[in-house]
């Protein structure tokens, strides 16, 4: 496939990427929950990767489980059963008892009376109240149906920082007034799931007629830690007691992120409600029970398989919702808070990521840019996870990665468009250059002479293959008036267009001087004088082997201007040719050249070659060498020596690109 076609594909891919990006940006208003759901899913993954936090040994879950339903009968039970359980736990010297079951309305007269007496004898029982929640700019006035006193003693002694931001109660599911009045306090158990229905947070307080009513978990934790003062300010609940003080990070609406101690059944100590009832009145059984619950906070919740009080949490798709309250208490006790980073921190990180990606786009090419940007985004995800695991800080992940990916796509698209434009410009320049090079190669081909008929059956073979589009090797066959021939092979230093220009100049000089100087030494001296002024010093020179051949006698006069010596082969093998090797043409302006003579006997050939023959490399960079030249010539038929040598060199390269021009000229006497 051509580079132009590849550039076209890159352009189409870039335009497609930009189009997809713009469609994604344009479609975002159609999916308002996209980022919140994505961030929530990534948040859950971070929580699960970080692992469960330690469960406080001070918390015991009393489960109304399937075994309790089988033992004590169909739910709901008569309230006397709960009274009996509270009395048993009271005798076992438990600390706090917090219910996750609303005793709404009247039950049986006997059951209500028994539960009231149990609450009267144990002043450390917390009862829950359920509320539907809303956000309104003004205080929602709620009819508390006689529970004003119970609510008043339970609300926090702090002001609400922004009534329009927090969740307010607009409908209530309240415990029976007689029970609420005898309880130590009431706390709300209203859930506040995220948009995907998952419970990740709990509102530590809600507005009830403009006053902050704490969650039952916050109330329980405050009593366990002997907290005497609470201040609710934007961003945190400040808790102060006699022995400790700390802040609970919350969002603007007062939600605390729950750091779970594991799935249901993991971490906390669990007791079956039926076991407590079974131990009631049995001194030995109550003694064993005391070992488990003495001084502990008991959280009572409905966990049987028939319960509707089940929902998804961060760590599980279905959990009894009493786990929200127990893990909320545990988060406060252990102070394993999850802190959302301020918005300005996320904005700075996002801007830094986008700026870095833009810098990478300017610094690197497309491939390295893709790798570097991908590594940057991956490292941010790892750093985000590390910050959460080590410090409990939640940095934005989905928004930063999304904006970084959008920036990456735009930068990659623009880089591809610029690359396409550059490739187009280069392609046009290459096409212009190629036209010129093709013309140069065509012009150079005209320098090679047609092989003449020497008239007496003698034969000349010539072969030349440039390493590039044009070459610096040169040969020519020039007839003289006396019937002799000037035959030469020259090799210009270097390759390509500069060598070809020198070659053309040398060809012109030799052609123009041959008519006036038929003697090889005088001819070469004239060429050197004329060519020297136009060659760059210490850079351009020409090695040349020039001979004058007389077909009638086989006599050869020759001059070697720094070139490889010729080889003469005959029926007897290789005949050594001796003589002076003179300076190449173009080294000194007044160089003198000495001529040698020999006679080419019938059946003999004179082989001239450039160093591209002996220095031809195979795929392992091994040279063809003089020995292989001799072997190829000796093993070939006399009439095809030159052709066989040229083919042997071609096979030796075996498709490897030429490293130098290759030229062979053979003069064979019949």
């Amino acid at each position: 496939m051509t580079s132009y076609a590849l550039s076209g594909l890159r352009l189409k891919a870039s335009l497609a990427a930009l189009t997809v990006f713009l469609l994604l940006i344009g479609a975002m208003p159609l999916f308002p929950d996209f980022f919140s759901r994505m961030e929530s899913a990534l948040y859950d993954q971070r929580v699960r990767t970080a692992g469960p936090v330690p469960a406080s040994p001070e918390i015991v879950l009393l489960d109304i489980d399937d075994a309790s339903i089988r033992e004590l009968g169909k739910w709901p039970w008569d309230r006397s059963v709960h009274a009996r359980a509270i009395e048993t736990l009271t005798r076992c010297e438990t600390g706090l008892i917090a219910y996750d079951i609303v005793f709404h309305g009247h039950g049986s007269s006997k059951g209500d009376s028994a539960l009231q007496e149990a609450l009267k004898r144990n002043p450390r029982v917390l009862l829950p109240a359920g509320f539907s929640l809303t956000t309104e700019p003004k205080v929602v006035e709620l009819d508390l149906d006689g529970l004003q006193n119970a609510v008043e003693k339970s609300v926090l002694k702090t002001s609400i920082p922004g009534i329009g931001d927090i969740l307010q109660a607009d409908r209530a599911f309240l415990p029976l007034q007689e029970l609420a009045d005898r309880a130590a306090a009431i706390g709300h158990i209203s859930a506040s799931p995220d948009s995907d229905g998952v419970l990740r947070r709990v509102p530590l307080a809600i507005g009830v007629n403009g006053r902050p009513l704490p969650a039952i978990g916050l109330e329980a934790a405050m009593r366990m830690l002997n907290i005497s003062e609470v201040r609710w300010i934007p961003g945190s609940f400040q808790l102060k007691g006699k022995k400790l003080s700390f802040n609970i990070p919350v969002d603007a609406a007062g939600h605390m992120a729950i750091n779970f101690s594991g799935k249901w059944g993991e971490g906390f100590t669990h007791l079956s409600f039926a076991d407590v009832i079974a131990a009631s009145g049995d001194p030995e059984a109550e003694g064993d029970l005391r070992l488990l619950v003495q001084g502990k906070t008991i959280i009572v919740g409905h966990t049987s398989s028939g319960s509707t009080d089940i929902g998804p949490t961060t760590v599980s798709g279905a959990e009894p919702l009493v786990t929200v309250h127990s893990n909320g208490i545990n988060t406060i006790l252990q102070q394993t808070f999850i802190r959302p980073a301020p918005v300005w921190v996320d904005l700075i990180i996002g801007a830094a990521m986008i700026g870095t990606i833009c810098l990478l786009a300017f610094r690197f090419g497309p491939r390295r840019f893709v790798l570097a940007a991908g590594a940057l985004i991956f490292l941010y995800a790892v750093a985000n996870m590390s910050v959460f695991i080590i410090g409990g800080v939640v940095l934005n992940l989905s928004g930063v990665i999304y904006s970084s990916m959008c920036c990456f796509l735009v930068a990659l698209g623009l880089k591809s468009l610029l690359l396409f434009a550059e490739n187009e410009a280069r392609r046009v320049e290459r096409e212009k250059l190629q036209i010129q090079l093709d013309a140069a190669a065509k012009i150079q081909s005209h320098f090679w002479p047609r092989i003449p008929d020497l008239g007496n059956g003698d034969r000349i073979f010539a072969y030349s293959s440039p390493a590039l589009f044009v070459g610096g090797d040169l040969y020519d066959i020039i007839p003289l008036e006396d019937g002799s021939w000037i035959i030469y092979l020259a090799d210009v230093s270097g390759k390509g267009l500069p060598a070809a220009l020198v070659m053309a100049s040398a060809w012109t000089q030799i052609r123009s001087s041959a008519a006036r100087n038929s003697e090889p030494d005088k001819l070469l001296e004239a060429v050197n004088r004329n060519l020297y002024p136009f060659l760059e010093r210490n850079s351009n020179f020409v090695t040349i082997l020039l001979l004058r051949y007389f077909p009638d006698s086989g006599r050869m006069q020759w001059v070697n201007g720094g070139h490889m010596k010729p080889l003469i082969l005959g029926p007897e093998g290789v005949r050594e040719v001796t003589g002076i090797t003179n300076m190449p043409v173009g080294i000194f302006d007044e160089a003198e050249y000495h001529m040698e003579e020999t006679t080419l006997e019938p059946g003999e050939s004179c082989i001239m070659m450039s160093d591209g023959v002996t220095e031809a490399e195979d795929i392992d960079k091994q040279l063809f060498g003089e020995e292989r030249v001799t072997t190829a010539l000796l093993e070939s038929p006399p009439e095809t020596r030159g052709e066989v040598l040229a083919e042997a060199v071609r096979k030796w390269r075996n498709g490897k690109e030429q490293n130098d021009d290759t030229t062979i000229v053979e003069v064979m006497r019949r």
Side-chain angles (χ1 to χ4, degrees):
M1 185 178 290
T2 65
S3 61
Y4 176 71
L6 289 174
S7 298
L9 289 176
R10 292 192 186 101
L11 174 62
K12 292 178 181 178
S14 303
L15 293 176
L18 288 174
T19 301
V20 171
F21 165 70
L22 293 175
L23 288 175
L24 288 174
I25 294 297
M28 286 307 300
L30 302 177
F31 306 97
D33 291 337
F34 175 74
F35 279 123
S36 62
R37 287 179 178 271
M38 181 185 291
E39 188 63 27
S40 295
L42 293 172
Y43 170 86
D44 293 346
Q45 185 59 49
R46 280 173 278 185
V47 170
R48 289 191 288 268
T49 302
V53 298
S56 172
E58 301 302 313
I59 298 174
V60 176
L61 295 181
L62 185 57
D63 302 334
I64 301 175
D65 53 11
D66 291 339
S68 301
I69 298 296
R70 288 194 299 270
E71 290 292 328
L72 302 176
K74 184 179 178 181
W75 182 264
W77 298 325
D78 188 80
R79 290 172 183 172
S80 61
V81 176
H82 296 284
R84 188 177 176 185
I86 292 173
E87 290 173 350
T88 302
L89 294 173
T90 302
R91 289 193 296 272
C92 292
E93 302 175 355
T94 59
L96 198 67
I97 301 174
Y99 261 84
D100 185 34
I101 299 167
V102 180
F103 296 110
H104 180 68
H106 289 278
S108 69
S109 176
K110 179 181 178 181
D112 288 348
S113 298
L115 186 53
Q116 290 178 44
E117 288 300 317
L119 295 175
K120 184 177 180 181
R121 284 192 286 271
N122 188 336
R124 292 178 60 79
V125 178
L126 303 179
L127 294 183
F131 298 92
S132 63
L133 305 176
T134 186
T135 300
E136 295 291 343
K138 297 181 180 180
V139 173
V140 177
E141 295 294 339
L142 183 67
D143 183 7
L144 296 177
D145 194 22
L147 266 75
Q148 289 84 353
N149 292 335
V151 171
E152 184 62 30
K153 71 178 180 181
S154 301
V155 295
L156 299 173
K157 305 303 185 286
T158 181
S159 60
I160 296 175
I163 195 68
D165 296 327
I166 71 163
L167 296 174
Q168 298 188 62
D170 66 344
R171 285 185 297 171
F173 187 67
L174 302 173
L176 186 65
Q177 179 184 350
E178 291 83 350
L179 301 177
D181 289 341
R182 286 170 173 76
I186 62 173
H188 81 82
I189 55 171
S190 299
S192 183
D194 290 338
S195 59
D196 57 359
V198 178
L199 287 162
R200 301 180 179 90
R201 307 170 299 159
V202 60
L204 291 186
I206 61 173
V208 178
N209 291 343
R211 301 292 301 280
L213 180 69
I216 196 166
L218 175 61
E219 182 68 32
M222 290 168 55
R223 290 175 178 270
M224 294 174 70
L225 297 172
N226 294 316
I227 299 298
S228 57
E229 182 180 346
V230 179
R231 287 191 64 199
W232 185 6
I233 62 174
S236 68
F237 272 85
Q238 297 179 343
L239 275 59
K240 180 181 289 188
K242 292 182 179 180
K243 294 184 178 181
L244 80 165
S245 299
F246 59 92
N247 291 354
I248 303 175
V250 295
D251 62 15
H255 291 92
M256 179 191 74
I258 302 171
N259 210 346
F260 287 85
S261 62
K263 296 180 180 180
W264 178 255
E266 300 175 358
F268 295 112
T269 300
H270 288 260
L271 286 176
S272 175
F273 200 97
D275 292 339
V276 174
I277 297 299
S280 179
D282 184 341
E284 183 177 353
E286 287 188 3
D288 293 337
L289 181 61
R290 182 179 290 106
L291 296 176
L292 294 174
V293 301
Q294 189 175 23
K296 306 294 178 65
T297 293
I298 309 300
I299 303 175
V300 186
H302 195 173
T303 65
S304 71
S305 56
S307 172
T308 58
D309 201 22
I310 293 176
T313 67
T314 300
V315 295
S316 175
E319 296 247 320
L321 296 187
V322 66
T323 190
V324 173
H325 310 303
S326 58
N327 280 283
I329 297 171
N330 186 68
T331 300
I332 298 173
L333 294 181
Q334 305 281 24
Q335 297 186 37
T336 53
F337 302 119
I338 297 175
R339 298 174 174 84
V343 175
W344 61 268
V345 172
D346 293 329
L347 292 176
I348 290 176
I349 292 174
M353 289 286 289
I354 291 173
T356 304
I357 289 174
C358 292
L359 183 63
L360 293 175
F362 284 111
R363 178 66 179 83
F364 297 134
R367 291 184 180 178
R368 294 182 65 188
F369 170 62
V370 170
L371 294 175
L376 176 66
I377 294 172
F378 174 76
L379 289 176
Y380 173 70
V382 172
N384 187 292
M385 177 66 73
S386 301
V387 168
F388 179 82
I389 294 174
I390 296 172
V393 178
V394 182
L395 296 170
N396 184 276
L397 185 56
S398 61
V400 171
I401 289 181
Y402 184 85
S403 59
S404 299
M405 288 297 296
C406 289
C407 177
F408 164 74
L409 288 175
V410 172
L412 184 61
L414 292 176
K415 283 184 72 67
S416 298
L417 290 175
L418 290 174
L419 182 62
F420 173 78
E422 292 174 1
N423 287 341
E424 276 293 280
R426 292 194 189 102
R427 182 185 65 82
V428 172
E429 291 300 320
R430 282 196 301 267
E431 287 182 352
K432 291 179 180 178
L433 179 61
Q434 189 61 49
I435 292 172
Q436 298 174 13
L437 295 179
D438 291 343
K442 187 175 182 180
I443 292 172
Q444 188 182 46
S445 68
H446 295 313
F447 284 92
W448 310 132
R450 292 183 178 181
I451 303 302
D453 182 4
L454 299 182
N456 62 345
D458 291 359
R459 188 175 69 88
I460 294 178
F461 167 79
Y463 165 82
S464 186
S465 174
L468 301 176
F469 48 92
V470 291
D473 281 4
L474 171 66
Y475 74 89
D476 202 357
I477 306 167
I478 306 171
L480 299 179
E481 292 182 357
D482 62 357
S484 63
W485 299 81
I486 295 294
I487 304 170
Y488 69 86
L489 189 155
D491 186 356
V492 180
S493 59
K495 298 188 292 292
L497 190 58
L501 292 174
V502 175
M503 181 272 284
S505 180
W507 182 89
T508 302
Q509 291 295 333
I510 295 172
R511 278 269 172 172
S512 62
S513 300
R516 298 188 301 272
N517 301 280
S518 59
E519 297 296 323
D521 52 347
K522 302 305 180 184
L523 172 58
L524 215 52
E525 288 173 359
V527 170
N528 182 71
R529 283 193 303 272
N530 294 332
L531 195 61
Y532 176 83
F534 302 102
L535 298 182
E536 187 176 348
R537 301 286 78 81
N538 302 321
S539 177
N540 293 132
F541 58 89
V542 181
T543 67
I544 185 169
L545 182 60
L546 184 146
L547 59 86
R548 181 181 183 187
Y549 179 62
F550 298 85
D552 292 340
S553 62
R555 179 185 172 200
M556 286 197 310
Q557 298 174 336
W558 54 278
V559 177
N560 189 343
H563 200 79
M564 297 174 60
K565 291 182 179 181
L567 295 177
I568 296 181
L569 289 87
E572 304 300 325
V574 178
R575 176 153 62 90
E576 184 177 0
V577 178
T578 60
I580 296 174
T581 300
N582 301 278
M583 282 286 182
V585 173
I587 300 295
F588 299 113
D589 56 345
E590 295 297 334
E592 294 184 355
Y593 291 88
H594 299 279
M595 183 176 67
E596 308 288 344
E597 286 197 24
T598 189
T599 300
L600 198 62
E601 300 296 337
E604 288 186 329
S605 293
C606 177
I607 305 292
M608 297 183 290
M609 68 191 80
S610 64
D611 56 6
V613 174
T614 56
E615 295 177 3
E617 294 181 349
D618 66 0
I619 57 176
D620 297 323
K621 294 189 176 182
Q622 294 184 358
L623 300 181
F624 189 71
E626 294 180 1
E627 184 177 345
R628 290 187 178 86
V629 169
T630 303
T631 301
L633 292 172
L634 291 176
E635 293 179 352
S636 61
E639 64 275 8
T640 59
R641 289 189 181 106
E643 292 96 323
V644 170
L645 179 58
E647 180 64 17
V649 173
R650 187 189 66 79
K651 288 183 177 179
W652 176 257
R653 286 198 301 267
N654 193 25
K656 186 179 185 297
E657 184 178 355
Q658 283 183 236
N659 58 324
D660 200 359
D661 301 329
T662 302
T663 303
I664 301 170
V665 176
E666 177 191 15
V667 180
M668 179 183 179
R669 186 178 182 195
R670 177 175 59 85

